[in-house]
Amino acid sequence: GPMGLFSFLSQEVAIDLGTANTNIIANDKLVVDEPSIVAIDRNTGKLIAIGEKARQMHGRTHENIRVIRPLRDGVIADFHAAELMIRGMIKMINTGPKFFSPSLKMVVGIPCGSTEVEIRAVRDSSEHAGGRDVYLIYEPMAAAIGIGLDVEAPEGCMVVDIGGGTTEIAVIALGGIVCNRSIRVAGDGFTADIQAYMRHQHNIKIGEKTAEDIKIAVGAALPDIENPPADFVVRGPNLMTSLPIEIPVSYQEIAYCLDKSLTKIEASILQVLEQTPPELYADIVNRGVFLAGGGALLRGLDKRLTDKINIPFRVSEDPLHAVVRGTGVALKNVEKYPFLMR
Ligand code: ADP
Ligand code: MG
């Protein structure tokens, strides 16, 4: 009907373009939640698969297919692949007639450590993918809004977003980021830690996907947690003999192998706290620090940080979607929010 046509023509989307996952909200609904991965034909440069389908191909391709993660460390590393990915994911929601070119209003999240060039890359990819009216928002700001914090209030809040490529730590007050730090220690690094550990400790070679499965099944930040998960059985070739072996992995082992990376994250949180003005510091101690991003789901992470830093840390509700939810709220407030960048 005419209403349907109208809503199609004036489509608005909120995009969280993450190193690991891309999420899109349209009409208040999460309509895309896919790994940030594309499979491209090496000869023609055309898109073969996107998201979960492309992820299935990862590590299993022949020479004509290239599986690419267009983002690295939170920023666009492959411009062409990023554009194909954004365009393809928007197509997933655009079910209307093809001959209408929708006037897309977009709000897209960017890491707060982004350089001018990196910001331009996100803006250009979004515009090439059909965005006519593109606004950018810093991801920790979006995360805070998604968590439900009043970012415009004079009280300070702190958000730690542990994604795939980067951990973003930010203190927010009065609608702005007061201090922040972004480090390249996050989910991908944890996965690499697990691969290295399995190689050294158990002489077994495992791929990235298996290491990620281990992380999700028995990932932990402390060697002693309530409701411990059962051991995860890994199968793979012995490094020396190439014969298949089976190894049960416990959460304690993973807590041990992630310790170094987690210590780096702790050090960075402390650095941001050191830079935080005392009034805001007091607010943060009162309200606690909010954890977002997939890394927040690591078992016992909130407890580990609370014990080490002596400020309460809490995992936000549905941490994987905090940024996109906040970006969705920003989409509805583009006139009102002064911190959105045109
Ligand atoms: P990004 O915003 O960079 O795309 P996300 O916030 O989507 O990242 O988080 C993705 C990361 O979180 C990945 O490294 C993934 O392996 C990790 N992750 C997802 N679920 C869990 C879990 N239950 N435990 C630990 N890590 C997880
Ligand atoms: Mg993210």
Side-chain angles (χ1 to χ4, degrees), residues 4-55:
L5 184 63
F6 180 76
S7 70
F8 171 71
L9 288 171
S10 59
Q11 194 149 36
E12 303 182 346
V13 293
I15 306 181
D16 169 15
L17 195 60
T19 304
N21 297 297
T22 294
N23 295 296
I24 303 181
I25 284 182
N27 299 319
D28 295 326
K29 278 200 281 291
L30 184 67
V31 285
V32 174
D33 182 357
E34 297 276 345
S36 302
I37 304 181
V38 288
I40 291 176
D41 186 311
R42 219 181 259 282
N43 300 315
T44 64
K46 288 234 170 72
L47 191 70
I48 298 173
I50 196 167
E52 190 51 44
K53 274 191 197 145
R55 181 177 128 99

Side-chain angles (χ1 to χ4, degrees), residues 227-277:
N227 308 314
D231 289 359
F232 183 83
V233 178
V234 183
R235 296 179 182 84
N238 180 300
L239 268 177
M240 308 295 167
T241 64
S242 291
L243 293 172
I245 42 173
E246 268 189 14
I247 293 172
V249 184
S250 70
Y251 82 88
Q252 281 109 338
E253 288 182 86
I254 302 306
Y256 166 81
C257 94
L258 298 184
D259 185 57
K260 249 195 189 150
S261 294
L262 294 173
T263 301
K264 286 184 192 154
I265 291 176
E266 283 160 10
S268 297
I269 295 172
L270 286 169
Q271 281 172 347
V272 175
L273 284 167
E274 272 167 26
Q275 296 165 10
T276 304

Side-chain angles (χ1 to χ4, degrees), residues 57 60 85 88 123 140 155 176 186 206 213 220 267 309 312 321 324 330:
M57 298 178 179
R60 298 196 167 95
M85 186 176 82
R123 183 180 290 288
E155 285 87 41
I206 59 168
D213 291 344
I309 298 177
H321 300 124
V324 77

Side-chain angles (χ1 to χ4, degrees), residues 16 18-21 162-165 187-188 212 215-216 293-295 297-298 320:
D16 169 15
T19 304
N21 297 297
I162 307 175
D188 292 342
E212 191 167 352
K215 180 174 71 179
I216 289 168
L297 293 166
L298 216 52
L320 279 160

Side-chain angles (χ1 to χ4, degrees), residues 16 18-19 139 161 163 323:
D16 169 15
T19 304
E139 283 165 7
D161 176 357
V323 169

